Amino acid sequence: MQRETRRAFLSSVLVTSTGAMLRCSAAERSWPVESSCGSLVCHADSELDSVQPVLQQLADLPLQIDRQIKTGARFEKVHLFLFARPATYGAYIRSHFPEAPERRALYVKRGAAGMIFAVRSATLAEDLRHEATHAYLHQVVAGLPLWLDEGLAEYYEVAAAERHLGHPHRLEMSQRLQQGWQPSLPRLERLSPRQSLKSRDYCQSWAWVHFLLHGETDLRAELIQFLADLRAHRPAGYLGHRLAERRGDLERRFRSHFIDRMPPVD
């Protein structure tokens, strides 16, 4: 599947309908297979043995997130509803969330916690890591900017060992920079929460997150402080403005991070 199409399928949706929430709460008590792993509670319509490694990855995800961005939070339960067949999954989503777009995986916000609905596929692990990142982040950070929300989800969607050097976005970003593309965090910060992101937006959001997490130490410190201000409901402004005022020369450092400081992409 082409990346732009696949990314469109991965876009999260927040559903807050009270009726939908009540129906889903009732459904939680009637699933054939149920299992808990850390803060993840899985409800499935078929066996879970084949997906246990993926479920363990999701259970480990909150600790991985906290280790990097220092949320300092105790994460609430996240409920995963897993379907074996696309037809069954599609019928369920249409019945319970008729307003939701078609997605292979769907994050639904419910109170302080959240729910993820997904169908088994070749990209299940990636789909679930992406949506689980949204679910955990939305528990602890209110008002997360769209670009940062999606950038972090893109970052954590790959396996932990691949996050530094192995994400597919890295090749695309390297090619864009070598072709003369100029990074602009302010453009991403102007994106409305209701906008549908394009493939380039996901890639660029991921790139800024990667730059902030794996660039110079001072950059990660600024990201951590920005998220802390959001959690504490303090005026946070734009992260790009804060970085430009305190660190400067951001675009040059961004380019150097991907072109000069990282190994060449094969």
Side-chain angles (χ1 to χ4, degrees):
M1 185 178 293
Q2 292 181 354
R3 177 162 294 276
E4 186 156 353
T5 303
R6 186 171 72 82
R7 290 300 162 196
F9 270 71
L10 285 175
S11 297
S12 298
V13 59
L14 307 184
V15 182
T16 56
S17 165
T18 302
M21 288 190 288
L22 291 174
R23 289 195 293 274
C24 285
S25 295
E28 289 174 12
R29 297 191 294 270
S30 60
W31 286 75
V33 182
E34 294 186 308
S35 175
S36 293
C37 188
S39 60
L40 181 74
V41 182
C42 184
H43 315 267
D45 61 3
S46 62
E47 59 80 27
L48 291 172
D49 291 347
S50 62
V51 295
Q52 281 299 334
V54 177
L55 300 183
Q56 184 59 57
Q57 289 178 29
L58 297 186
D60 294 340
L61 188 59
L63 181 60
Q64 294 168 6
I65 293 173
D66 187 64
R67 186 181 298 124
Q68 283 190 292
I69 61 176
K70 310 297 183 186
T71 62
R74 181 180 181 275
F75 291 97
E76 301 293 332
K77 297 288 187 183
V78 170
H79 290 266
L80 167 64
F81 299 85
L82 187 59
F83 296 81
R85 296 170 58 85
T88 310
Y89 167 75
Y92 187 92
I93 295 300
R94 287 191 296 272
S95 173
H96 290 82
F97 307 105
E99 70 275 36
E102 294 185 9
R103 300 284 188 263
R104 282 194 312 256
L106 185 73
Y107 161 52
V108 178
K109 187 174 177 62
R110 184 185 64 175
M115 302 179 293
I116 300 169
F117 298 85
V119 61
R120 299 190 193 212
S121 71
T123 61
L124 179 65
E126 179 182 319
D127 294 351
L128 291 182
R129 286 189 295 257
H130 184 106
E131 302 304 337
T133 301
H134 286 307
Y136 288 122
L137 287 174
H138 281 246
Q139 289 181 23
V140 297
V141 183
L144 197 62
L146 177 62
W147 75 270
L148 187 52
D149 190 13
E150 291 297 344
L152 287 165
E154 293 284 298
Y155 176 84
Y156 286 109
E157 75 180 14
V158 298
E162 301 297 315
R163 287 173 192 154
H164 185 199
L165 298 175
H167 200 294
H169 282 323
R170 186 176 160 229
L171 174 59
E172 179 181 349
M173 180 51 55
S174 178
Q175 291 173 338
R176 285 179 178 271
L177 288 167
Q178 290 174 1
Q179 292 166 1
W181 174 79
Q182 297 298 316
S184 174
L185 185 53
R187 187 192 73 82
L188 291 176
E189 292 183 310
R190 290 193 295 268
L191 293 174
S192 164
R194 297 185 178 275
Q195 281 186 249
S196 296
L197 301 190
K198 295 180 171 59
S199 177
R200 67 172 187 176
D201 298 322
Y202 285 102
C203 179
Q204 292 171 28
S205 296
W206 166 86
W208 280 102
V209 166
H210 191 281
F211 173 53
L212 294 171
L213 291 177
H214 295 285
E216 295 96 330
T217 304
D218 61 334
L219 295 171
R220 189 164 74 98
E222 289 290 353
L223 173 62
I224 290 171
Q225 185 58 55
F226 179 76
L227 293 171
D229 289 341
L230 289 176
R231 291 199 310 275
H233 304 288
R234 294 189 291 265
Y238 290 106
L239 179 56
H241 290 172
R242 293 164 65 145
L243 291 169
E245 289 175 358
R246 300 173 190 177
R247 306 301 169 183
D249 209 7
L250 206 56
E251 288 74 17
R252 183 196 62 79
R253 295 170 73 183
F254 178 99
R255 181 181 179 83
S256 177
H257 172 70
F258 286 102
I259 299 300
D260 304 324
R261 301 184 65 230
M262 297 179 69
V265 182
D266 294 332

